[in-house]
Amino acid sequence: MAGSDQHDLQALSDLRTPWCIRTVVTLGIPRNIADGMTDLNSLAEKAQCDAGALHAVLAHLVASGLFTEPTPGTFGLTDLGAGLLDPPPDLDLTGIGGRISYAWGTLPTFVRTGKPGYHQHFGKPFWDDLAAHPDIATSFDDFMGLVGHGVPDPHLPIDWDPVRTVVDVGGGTGAMLAEILRAYPAVRGTLVDLPGTVARAGPVFDAAGVADRISLVGQSFFDPLPTGADVYLLNRVLNDWPDAQTSAILSRCAAAAGPFGRIVVVGGVTPDDTPVRLEIDMVLVGGRTDSLTEFRERAASAGLMVAAARSYANGRFVVECRSQVS
């Protein structure tokens, strides 16, 4: 192998930089530097860590272009490193970011078996682990909501004129549903998620000014869902589950929607010509993403037909289903 090729391979496989970044974010180093604490010993004391070890990490990130060391033992942030002042939640190892980062180490199990190996590292499957650790569950809800994904685009490419009721199935703390209700004042919403998650949804709807048009239902979406709504929304839900559970969720929505409701799926289905991608959902929970052709078959087994499929402004692919007997 040529020397340049070897260097490229090492750069691609090097784990130092991603773990150094996660370490300094977790310790709060970028924020402390931005607040004026630039001396190595002061940074180490504030973070309650070993100064020599921290120096080695920061030196690597200086070489990576994230920090500067204008004088020995004194550090600053580059323009690139300033991005660590408001990092994605998955860079902080104390919350769901730690679970995601360490879970990548179970990738060989997923590849060998097609099933997640999360339990091998954390002792429990992903959802059971969240149930056992409410603090991690809260950070997961934040990651899936406004903190992790920002304000969602509520303008799904469906006919909103006849819609008066929307059930957001597995909608987390309600970020998407809140924006839908704000964008469409004639619509009322029902948020369905586990009790602990729904209990944290109130401030989201209060902030959006739509709390008077919302109902909260704390339950599993594998149980019977509230019936008779115009739209059942599955936003970033189906890709979090293997085949059997994906079909079960879809069947629950079909039963609740009846002959006149619609099921709107965002995430978990891609156009047929979309290249295969490795997603963290696969590693965490054995999640599944269907091609549109595959999803048509899944929908049909739940008594549904695909009425429309299209992308919308933010690039997400949206599939609209109706009952086969409507």
Side-chain angles (χ1 to χ4, degrees):
M1 182 181 292
S4 60
D5 292 339
Q6 181 68 37
H7 180 270
D8 290 343
L9 181 58
Q10 289 175 339
L12 286 171
S13 59
D14 182 23
L15 296 177
R16 285 178 297 177
T17 302
W19 278 103
C20 285
I21 290 172
R22 283 163 171 78
T23 297
V24 296
V25 168
T26 301
L27 294 175
I29 302 300
R31 174 53 57 192
N32 290 334
I33 290 176
D35 289 342
M37 185 180 294
T38 60
D39 173 69
L40 173 66
N41 291 325
S42 298
L43 290 167
E45 182 178 358
K46 176 73 171 179
Q48 297 183 322
C49 66
D50 181 83
L54 178 60
H55 198 175
V57 168
L58 288 174
H60 177 74
L61 294 179
V62 167
S64 300
L66 292 168
F67 291 85
T68 64
E69 190 175 7
T71 60
T74 302
F75 294 91
L77 289 167
T78 65
D79 290 343
L80 179 61
L84 299 178
L85 297 174
D86 186 23
D90 58 337
L91 294 187
D92 185 347
L93 295 173
T94 59
I96 192 63
R99 294 303 202 260
I100 291 173
S101 296
Y102 286 107
W104 280 112
T106 69
L107 180 60
T109 295
F110 173 69
V111 174
R112 290 189 183 106
T113 67
K115 298 178 181 179
Y118 184 94
H119 63 285
Q120 295 174 334
H121 189 91
F122 296 103
K124 299 176 184 289
F126 180 74
W127 301 114
D128 293 344
D129 184 41
L130 294 193
H133 298 91
D135 55 331
I136 301 298
T138 297
S139 69
F140 175 72
D141 289 339
D142 290 342
F143 178 61
M144 296 303 293
L146 293 172
V147 174
H149 291 87
V151 177
D153 182 355
H155 299 290
L156 299 170
I158 65 173
D159 181 7
W160 285 100
D161 289 343
V163 176
R164 293 297 176 266
T165 51
V166 173
V167 175
D168 191 353
V169 180
T173 53
M176 181 63 155
L177 184 56
E179 292 306 309
I180 288 173
L181 298 186
R182 183 151 60 177
Y184 303 100
V187 175
R188 298 187 63 86
T190 298
L191 177 67
V192 177
D193 213 306
L194 294 175
T197 297
V198 166
R200 294 189 286 271
V204 175
F205 295 112
D206 289 339
V210 298
D212 60 331
R213 290 188 281 130
I214 190 70
S215 298
L216 303 177
V217 178
Q219 66 162 78
S220 167
F221 44 53
F222 293 111
D223 295 331
L225 298 168
T227 59
D230 298 315
V231 169
Y232 288 79
L233 176 63
L234 290 166
N235 181 39
R236 301 199 309 263
V237 171
L238 295 187
N239 52 292
D240 281 343
W241 298 93
D243 274 333
Q245 289 89 340
T246 296
S247 294
I249 295 166
L250 202 59
S251 293
R252 286 299 190 193
C253 290
F260 304 113
R262 291 178 280 169
I263 293 92
V264 176
V265 178
V266 185
V269 187
T270 61
D272 285 333
D273 58 355
T274 301
V276 173
R277 291 182 59 185
L278 177 63
E279 303 285 359
I280 187 59
D281 313 278
M282 300 176 178
V283 181
L284 293 176
V285 293
R288 164 82 183 200
T289 295
D290 286 337
S291 68
L292 182 58
T293 295
E294 291 170 329
F295 183 76
R296 288 184 191 276
E297 296 177 2
R298 189 187 302 279
S301 69
L304 299 168
M305 62 178 180
V306 173
R310 59 182 73 88
S311 297
Y312 76 117
N314 64 4
R316 288 191 173 273
F317 191 58
V318 180
V319 179
E320 183 179 343
C321 300
R322 298 176 180 270
S323 170
Q324 292 175 341
V325 297
S326 60

